[in-house]
Amino acid sequence: MGVMNLKGVRELGKFVFLITMFLTATFAFAQNEPETTKPLTDMEVIRKVAVLDIEGKMYENVTISFKSITPDYFITDKYRVKVKVVDRDGKSIYKKTLKNAFLYVFSNGQIQVGKPNFNQILVTKTELTDDNIGVIREKEGVY
């Protein structure tokens, strides 16, 4: 009877080891996948940006607001995102409605506006100072 219990303990140990290895491998691969999110609809997001590049021209200490608009299918059937950039005095620098574009906000604070796999606007946090920096490339897109 002692031999049977020892064999059962070995089998149970192998089973626990196998489950542990499976879970470890699953968690390791899950952390390497890129973060995904669904587009926001009928939302407004406002960010203070330390440095913003608009079509090659640099602006400092601006506020950028994004407002996603869902199609009403009466006037238009395209998703839109209204983008407005103002300086610290409240003067408008950039104002545009991007048609057939989507607003994405990720858990790390990154904001993207554009079509899937083709971003026209990108706002991210810097690693060193934790300030927001952004780039607007309406014509060619941001990769």
Side-chain angles (χ1 to χ4, degrees):
M1 201 160 170
V3 175
M4 290 300 251
N5 284 340
L6 187 58
K7 188 175 182 182
V9 169
R10 284 184 187 160
E11 291 295 322
L12 182 62
K14 288 180 183 178
F15 179 73
V16 169
F17 179 72
L18 180 66
I19 294 296
T20 304
M21 291 303 294
F22 176 73
L23 291 176
T24 304
T26 302
F27 290 132
F29 286 117
Q31 292 175 356
N32 293 335
E33 293 180 15
E35 185 178 5
T36 59
T37 187
K38 293 183 179 184
L40 292 179
T41 56
D42 295 324
M43 296 288 290
E44 185 170 7
V45 178
I46 299 172
R47 288 285 189 273
K48 290 185 186 249
V49 179
V51 178
L52 180 64
D53 176 2
I54 302 176
E55 300 292 342
K57 191 171 180 184
M58 303 298 275
Y59 297 93
E60 293 182 0
N61 299 323
V62 297
T63 302
I64 185 167
S65 64
F66 305 96
K67 185 174 183 181
S68 63
I69 303 169
T70 307
D72 56 8
Y73 298 104
F74 181 69
I75 297 173
T76 183
D77 60 346
K78 295 183 179 184
Y79 286 87
R80 297 173 288 158
V81 178
K82 287 186 178 183
V83 181
K84 184 176 181 182
V85 179
V86 295
D87 63 6
R88 66 182 103 176
D89 299 326
K91 181 182 169 194
S92 181
I93 297 172
Y94 179 86
K95 187 175 184 180
K96 188 83 177 197
T97 300
L98 302 172
K99 295 181 174 120
N100 206 18
F102 300 94
L103 173 64
Y104 299 93
V105 178
F106 294 91
S107 62
N108 63 0
Q110 179 174 312
I111 298 174
Q112 295 177 358
V113 176
K115 300 173 177 115
N117 301 322
F118 185 78
N119 300 314
Q120 295 170 303
I121 300 173
L122 181 66
V123 176
T124 59
K125 283 192 177 281
T126 61
E127 293 179 12
L128 298 175
T129 61
D130 216 27
D131 289 333
N132 288 317
I133 57 171
V135 62
I136 297 176
R137 294 282 186 266
E138 185 183 336
K139 296 172 182 72
E140 59 201 48
V142 179
Y143 298 97

